[in-house]
Amino acid sequence: MKINIFSFLTKCFIIITAIAAAPQVHAQRQASAYDNLRFGGSLGLGFGNNYTQVLVAPGALYQFNQYVGAGLGLQYNYVRFDEVYKSSMYGGSVIGIFSPLPQIQLSAELEQLRVNLEYDRDYLEDDGIVYADNKRNFWNTALFLGAGYNTGPVTVGVRYNVLFDDNDFVYADALLPFVRVYF
């Protein structure tokens, strides 16, 4: 009889222990997967003589290992220059990063933006470009190749737009500085 009671108590103890430990094991598995996920992006404000720019670009980055990461981002950018130029741009991007050394970060980023542009016809006609209704609405694709100095959550560097087109009025130059922050 003692053997049956001991067997019964042992089985109960094992079942209760397994039930109590199951959520902890599951939580540990989830926590380790989320440990490699980083959130951040960029914020920007620019003000000048009759000039305003506001940029909001949140993103998420999954760090596969200490060398390679990939992520997705969203972007909204508003630019206004006096009564000459006003643009609202929104879209998304996909980024891949490679860090051959902890301080060096190389990146490739594909960006797709919807551009809604309004402008003063007299301003743009000087360049020989004329569009109907003083408006342009189009999609712009950019492919950035970049290099930066990584200080942990912050990376400062420069990137080059391989698909740069001066007639799109999206970026002033193919070579652009950047600051990325991911926690």
Side-chain angles (χ1 to χ4, degrees):
M1 189 79 129
K2 289 183 181 180
I3 295 176
N4 289 339
I5 292 176
F6 179 72
S7 177
F8 175 74
L9 291 176
T10 303
K11 289 177 185 176
C12 288
F13 178 75
I14 291 173
I15 291 171
I16 291 171
T17 303
I19 291 171
Q24 292 176 354
V25 171
H26 182 67
Q28 287 176 352
R29 218 177 305 139
Q30 286 181 343
S32 65
Y34 290 119
D35 286 344
N36 295 338
L37 191 59
R38 299 165 51 198
F39 296 97
S42 299
L43 291 174
L45 290 172
F47 299 101
N49 190 16
N50 298 321
Y51 177 81
T52 305
Q53 179 179 12
V54 179
L55 168 72
V56 178
L61 185 71
Y62 186 82
Q63 197 73 40
F64 293 103
N65 56 41
Q66 64 184 4
Y67 302 107
V68 179
L72 299 172
L74 297 174
Q75 178 178 334
Y76 176 77
N77 194 3
Y78 173 81
V79 180
R80 182 182 177 119
F81 177 62
D82 203 9
E83 295 298 321
V84 174
Y85 177 94
K86 183 171 78 171
S87 179
S88 179
M89 298 175 269
Y90 55 91
S93 65
V94 177
I95 188 169
I97 62 169
F98 174 67
S99 298
L101 299 171
Q103 297 83 9
I104 304 296
Q105 185 183 92
L106 305 175
S107 63
E109 182 175 7
L110 181 64
E111 175 185 86
Q112 183 73 41
L113 294 178
R114 179 66 178 175
V115 179
N116 299 315
L117 170 67
E118 295 179 25
Y119 58 90
D120 181 1
R121 181 183 297 272
D122 295 332
Y123 176 74
L124 292 179
E125 282 181 353
D126 292 340
D127 293 337
I129 302 168
V130 179
Y131 297 102
D133 300 330
N134 299 346
K135 295 181 182 181
R136 281 188 69 202
N137 298 311
F138 60 95
W139 287 98
N140 184 72
T141 304
L143 176 60
F144 294 102
L145 302 178
Y149 180 73
N150 189 8
T151 63
V154 179
T155 304
V156 177
V158 65
R159 61 188 188 162
Y160 180 77
N161 184 356
V162 178
L163 304 176
F164 178 74
D165 184 355
D166 197 27
N167 293 326
D168 282 338
F169 305 106
V170 176
Y171 295 106
D173 198 333
L175 197 60
L176 300 170
F178 71 84
V179 176
R180 275 190 211 112
V181 180
Y182 283 100
F183 298 100

Coordinates of all heavy atoms in Angstrom, one line a residue, residues 42 53-59 72-79 88-93 109-115 140 142 144 159 170-171 176:
S42 N 14.5 57.0 -37.2 CA 15.0 58.4 -37.4 C 13.9 59.4 -37.2 O 12.7 59.2 -37.5 CB 15.6 58.6 -38.7 OG 16.7 57.8 -39.0
Q53 N 11.0 71.3 -42.7 CA 11.1 69.9 -43.0 C 10.8 69.1 -41.7 O 11.4 69.4 -40.7 CB 12.4 69.5 -43.6 CG 12.4 68.0 -43.9 CD 13.7 67.5 -44.5 OE1 14.7 68.2 -44.5 NE2 13.7 66.3 -45.0
V54 N 9.9 68.1 -41.8 CA 9.6 67.2 -40.7 C 9.7 65.8 -41.2 O 9.1 65.4 -42.2 CB 8.2 67.5 -40.2 CG1 7.9 66.6 -39.0 CG2 8.0 68.9 -39.7
L55 N 10.5 65.0 -40.5 CA 10.7 63.6 -40.9 C 10.4 62.7 -39.7 O 10.9 62.9 -38.6 CB 12.1 63.3 -41.4 CG 12.5 61.9 -41.5 CD1 11.9 61.3 -42.8 CD2 14.0 61.8 -41.6
V56 N 9.6 61.7 -39.9 CA 9.3 60.6 -38.9 C 9.5 59.3 -39.7 O 8.8 59.0 -40.6 CB 7.9 60.7 -38.4 CG1 7.6 59.6 -37.4 CG2 7.6 62.1 -37.7
A57 N 10.4 58.5 -39.2 CA 10.8 57.2 -39.8 C 11.0 56.1 -38.8 O 12.2 55.8 -38.5 CB 12.0 57.4 -40.7
P58 N 10.0 55.5 -38.2 CA 10.2 54.4 -37.3 C 10.6 53.1 -38.0 O 10.3 52.9 -39.2 CB 8.8 54.2 -36.6 CG 7.8 54.7 -37.7 CD 8.5 55.8 -38.4
G59 N 11.3 52.2 -37.3 CA 11.7 51.0 -37.9 C 11.9 49.9 -36.9 O 12.0 50.2 -35.7
L72 N 12.5 46.4 -41.4 CA 11.5 47.1 -42.1 C 11.3 48.5 -41.5 O 11.5 48.7 -40.3 CB 10.2 46.4 -42.1 CG 10.1 45.0 -42.7 CD1 8.8 44.3 -42.3 CD2 10.4 45.0 -44.1
G73 N 10.9 49.5 -42.3 CA 10.7 50.8 -41.8 C 9.6 51.5 -42.5 O 9.2 51.1 -43.7
L74 N 9.0 52.5 -41.9 CA 8.0 53.4 -42.5 C 8.6 54.8 -42.5 O 9.5 55.1 -41.7 CB 6.7 53.3 -41.6 CG 6.0 52.0 -41.6 CD1 4.8 52.1 -40.6 CD2 5.5 51.6 -42.9
Q75 N 8.1 55.6 -43.4 CA 8.6 57.0 -43.4 C 7.5 58.0 -43.8 O 6.7 57.7 -44.7 CB 9.7 57.1 -44.4 CG 10.3 58.5 -44.6 CD 11.4 58.5 -45.6 OE1 12.1 57.6 -45.8 NE2 11.6 59.7 -46.2
Y76 N 7.5 59.1 -43.2 CA 6.7 60.3 -43.6 C 7.6 61.5 -43.5 O 8.3 61.7 -42.6 CB 5.5 60.5 -42.7 CG 4.7 61.7 -43.1 CD1 3.9 61.7 -44.2 CD2 4.9 62.9 -42.4 CE1 3.2 62.9 -44.6 CE2 4.2 64.1 -42.8 CZ 3.4 64.0 -43.9 OH 2.8 65.2 -44.3
N77 N 7.6 62.3 -44.6 CA 8.4 63.4 -44.8 C 7.6 64.6 -45.4 O 7.0 64.4 -46.4 CB 9.6 63.1 -45.7 CG 10.7 64.1 -45.6 OD1 10.7 65.0 -44.8 ND2 11.8 63.9 -46.4
Y78 N 7.6 65.7 -44.7 CA 7.0 66.9 -45.2 C 8.0 68.0 -45.4 O 8.8 68.3 -44.5 CB 5.9 67.4 -44.2 CG 5.3 68.7 -44.5 CD1 4.3 68.8 -45.4 CD2 5.7 69.9 -43.9 CE1 3.7 70.0 -45.8 CE2 5.2 71.1 -44.3 CZ 4.2 71.1 -45.2 OH 3.6 72.3 -45.5
V79 N 8.0 68.6 -46.6 CA 8.9 69.7 -46.9 C 8.2 70.8 -47.5 O 7.3 70.6 -48.4 CB 10.0 69.2 -47.9 CG1 11.0 70.3 -48.3 CG2 10.8 67.9 -47.4
S88 N 4.8 66.2 -49.7 CA 4.4 65.2 -48.7 C 4.8 63.9 -49.2 O 4.3 63.5 -50.3 CB 3.0 65.3 -48.4 OG 2.6 64.4 -47.4
M89 N 5.7 63.2 -48.5 CA 6.2 61.8 -49.0 C 6.0 60.8 -47.9 O 6.2 61.1 -46.7 CB 7.7 61.9 -49.3 CG 8.0 62.9 -50.4 SD 9.8 63.1 -50.7 CE 10.1 64.5 -49.6
Y90 N 5.5 59.6 -48.3 CA 5.3 58.6 -47.4 C 5.5 57.2 -48.0 O 5.4 57.1 -49.2 CB 3.9 58.6 -46.8 CG 2.8 58.6 -47.8 CD1 2.2 57.4 -48.3 CD2 2.3 59.8 -48.4 CE1 1.2 57.4 -49.2 CE2 1.3 59.8 -49.3 CZ 0.8 58.6 -49.8 OH -0.2 58.6 -50.7
G91 N 5.9 56.2 -47.2 CA 6.2 54.9 -47.8 C 6.9 54.0 -46.8 O 6.9 54.2 -45.6
G92 N 7.6 53.1 -47.4 CA 8.3 52.1 -46.5 C 9.7 51.7 -47.1 O 10.1 52.1 -48.2
S93 N 10.4 50.9 -46.3 CA 11.7 50.5 -46.7 C 12.1 49.2 -46.1 O 11.5 48.7 -45.1 CB 12.8 51.5 -46.3 OG 12.9 51.6 -44.9
E109 N 19.7 49.5 -48.4 CA 18.3 49.9 -48.1 C 17.5 50.2 -49.4 O 17.9 51.0 -50.1 CB 18.2 51.0 -47.1 CG 16.9 51.4 -46.7 CD 16.9 52.5 -45.6 OE1 17.9 53.1 -45.4 OE2 15.8 52.8 -45.1
L110 N 16.4 49.5 -49.5 CA 15.5 49.7 -50.7 C 14.3 50.5 -50.1 O 13.6 50.0 -49.2 CB 15.0 48.4 -51.3 CG 14.1 48.6 -52.5 CD1 14.8 49.3 -53.7 CD2 13.6 47.2 -53.0
E111 N 14.0 51.7 -50.7 CA 13.0 52.6 -50.2 C 12.0 52.9 -51.3 O 12.4 53.1 -52.4 CB 13.6 53.9 -49.7 CG 12.7 54.9 -49.3 CD 13.4 56.2 -48.9 OE1 13.7 57.0 -49.9 OE2 13.8 56.4 -47.8
Q112 N 10.7 52.8 -51.0 CA 9.6 53.1 -51.9 C 8.8 54.2 -51.3 O 8.2 54.0 -50.3 CB 8.8 51.9 -52.2 CG 7.7 52.1 -53.3 CD 8.3 52.2 -54.7 OE1 9.2 51.5 -55.1 NE2 7.8 53.2 -55.4
L113 N 8.7 55.4 -52.0 CA 8.0 56.5 -51.4 C 6.9 57.0 -52.4 O 7.2 57.1 -53.6 CB 8.9 57.7 -51.1 CG 9.9 57.6 -50.0 CD1 10.7 58.8 -49.9 CD2 9.2 57.2 -48.7
R114 N 5.8 57.4 -51.9 CA 4.8 58.1 -52.7 C 5.0 59.6 -52.5 O 5.1 60.0 -51.3 CB 3.4 57.7 -52.2 CG 2.3 58.4 -53.0 CD 2.2 58.0 -54.4 NE 1.1 58.6 -55.1 CZ 0.9 58.5 -56.4 NH1 1.7 57.8 -57.1 NH2 -0.1 59.1 -56.9
V115 N 5.2 60.3 -53.6 CA 5.5 61.7 -53.5 C 4.3 62.5 -54.0 O 3.9 62.3 -55.2 CB 6.8 62.0 -54.3 CG1 7.1 63.5 -54.3 CG2 7.9 61.2 -53.9
N140 N 8.5 57.0 -56.0 CA 10.0 57.1 -56.2 C 10.7 55.9 -55.5 O 10.4 55.6 -54.3 CB 10.5 58.4 -55.5 CG 12.0 58.6 -55.8 OD1 12.4 58.9 -56.9 ND2 12.8 58.4 -54.7
A142 N 14.3 54.3 -54.3 CA 15.7 54.6 -54.0 C 16.4 53.3 -53.5 O 15.8 52.6 -52.7 CB 15.8 55.7 -53.0
F144 N 19.8 52.6 -51.5 CA 20.9 53.2 -50.8 C 21.9 52.2 -50.4 O 21.6 51.2 -49.8 CB 20.4 53.9 -49.5 CG 19.5 55.1 -49.7 CD1 18.2 55.0 -49.6 CD2 20.1 56.3 -50.1 CE1 17.3 56.1 -49.8 CE2 19.2 57.4 -50.3 CZ 17.9 57.3 -50.2
R159 N 25.2 57.5 -47.0 CA 24.7 56.5 -47.9 C 24.6 57.1 -49.3 O 24.4 58.4 -49.4 CB 23.4 56.0 -47.4 CG 22.3 57.0 -47.2 CD 21.1 56.4 -46.5 NE 20.0 57.4 -46.6 CZ 18.7 57.1 -46.4 NH1 18.4 55.8 -46.1 NH2 17.8 58.0 -46.4
V170 N 13.1 64.7 -55.0 CA 12.9 63.9 -53.8 C 14.1 64.2 -52.9 O 13.9 64.6 -51.7 CB 12.7 62.4 -54.0 CG1 12.6 61.7 -52.7 CG2 11.4 62.2 -54.8
Y171 N 15.3 64.0 -53.4 CA 16.5 64.2 -52.7 C 17.3 65.2 -53.4 O 17.4 65.2 -54.6 CB 17.3 62.9 -52.5 CG 16.6 61.9 -51.6 CD1 16.0 60.8 -52.2 CD2 16.5 62.1 -50.3 CE1 15.3 59.9 -51.4 CE2 15.8 61.2 -49.5 CZ 15.2 60.1 -50.0 OH 14.6 59.2 -49.3
L176 N 24.0 61.1 -49.1 CA 23.2 61.7 -48.0 C 23.8 61.2 -46.6 O 24.1 60.0 -46.5 CB 21.8 61.3 -48.0 CG 21.0 61.7 -49.2 CD1 19.6 61.0 -49.2 CD2 20.8 63.2 -49.2

